[in-house]
Amino acid sequence: MSTTAEAPEDPDAPAARAHTADPAEPRHRIRAQYTEKTVTVYQAYSPALGLPAARDGRFPAAWKRERMTWIKPSFLWMMYRCGWGEKADQETVLAVEIEREGFDWALRNACLSHYDADEHADRGAWKRELKGAPARVQWDPERDLWLRALPYRSLQLGLAGEASRRYADEWTVAITDVTPLAREVHARVRAGETVAATALLPQERPYPAPEGTPGLGRVSWRGGVGA
């Protein structure tokens, strides 16, 4: 980082807006860092749980597999949720690389976390589907470098029961502590070094979600490069 003090960049200035909203983005789309076999999602935990997970590359026994857990493919949405790793019990930010096969299974078997008349026959049908689904899809506003809401949405995927257990014990390939990255990006944003902050971000691109992913209708992705 530059040692020269700089005034924070105005987030509404033209140069700053170039690093925020993209008018070509559809309202709902999964953006993620992924390879042919894996996809990276983010979670934040207390150091007591997060540090052993990163050290061992797997979630410890203390990680409650019977509880619902939420995973986020968007790095900046994770930063919004955990406050750049500064919120209590979210000080350790983890990048969890999981098998795409498992991720896609969860998407195919998920239910929307809220009722949508375009997706469900009625509220009763939605409640029945939600009760039996091992995963929940929630679409929340994507965030820019200043963690402001953007006009399009990113995925949060809730995993429960079978999905939660498989996530922890079968799908996880690697766990990396990315807290230093979160702090570095945050420091550059505060210093007004927008271009440098953007360059540090994980390279997320449209993910080829499986047919039937809740909230995507018949169009699972647009403009991405299939792996």
Side-chain angles (χ1 to χ4, degrees):
M1 179 186 296
S2 169
T3 58
T4 303
E6 299 181 34
E9 182 175 321
D10 179 0
D12 294 316
R17 289 199 299 270
H19 302 282
T20 56
D22 181 350
E25 281 291 325
R27 178 171 173 77
H28 291 170
R29 177 150 73 178
I30 301 173
R31 287 166 293 274
Q33 185 175 32
Y34 64 93
T35 68
E36 182 180 357
K37 297 291 186 182
T38 66
V39 58
T40 298
V41 297
Y42 298 94
Q43 295 191 288
Y45 293 100
S46 68
L49 192 59
L51 292 179
R55 180 194 65 216
D56 300 334
R58 63 186 305 274
F59 289 104
W63 193 89
K64 299 183 184 302
R65 287 150 174 81
E66 69 276 10
R67 295 178 58 181
M68 175 168 284
T69 190
W70 291 87
I71 58 178
K72 301 95 176 167
S74 166
F75 179 81
L76 283 176
W77 203 96
M78 183 72 258
M79 295 305 98
Y80 165 73
R81 180 66 180 84
C82 71
W84 299 103
E86 294 179 355
K87 290 185 179 179
D89 295 327
Q90 298 187 62
E91 301 93 339
T92 304
V93 184
L94 302 179
V96 186
E97 191 176 3
I98 65 174
E99 296 175 354
R100 282 180 59 176
E101 183 178 349
F103 185 66
D104 288 356
W105 178 90
L107 290 172
R108 284 194 302 270
N109 288 279
C111 176
L112 279 177
S113 62
H114 64 280
Y115 170 70
D116 185 334
D118 292 332
E119 296 263 344
H120 309 101
D122 52 51
R123 288 187 178 274
W126 164 67
K127 288 180 180 180
R128 288 189 295 273
E129 182 182 347
L130 184 67
K131 184 176 181 180
R136 297 182 182 184
V137 161
Q138 185 165 306
W139 296 100
D140 293 304
E142 179 60 287
R143 301 287 160 167
D144 65 11
L145 281 172
W146 295 269
L147 308 185
R148 301 173 304 187
L150 293 172
Y152 45 86
R153 294 177 177 252
S154 284
L155 173 76
Q156 271 202 89
L157 184 60
L159 307 175
E162 178 186 0
S164 180
R165 292 190 297 272
R166 295 182 68 185
Y167 167 69
D169 299 324
E170 297 179 23
W171 302 340
T172 296
V173 174
I175 302 177
T176 304
D177 183 354
V178 293
T179 311
L181 173 62
R183 292 173 178 165
E184 178 69 6
V185 173
H186 190 202
R188 297 214 178 229
V189 171
R190 288 186 298 181
E193 300 174 6
T194 307
V195 174
T198 300
L200 291 170
L201 295 176
Q203 297 301 301
E204 297 168 1
R205 55 198 172 111
Y207 182 81
E211 187 72 22
T213 297
L216 292 183
R218 291 180 297 175
V219 180
S220 62
W221 69 316
R222 188 180 72 181
V225 178

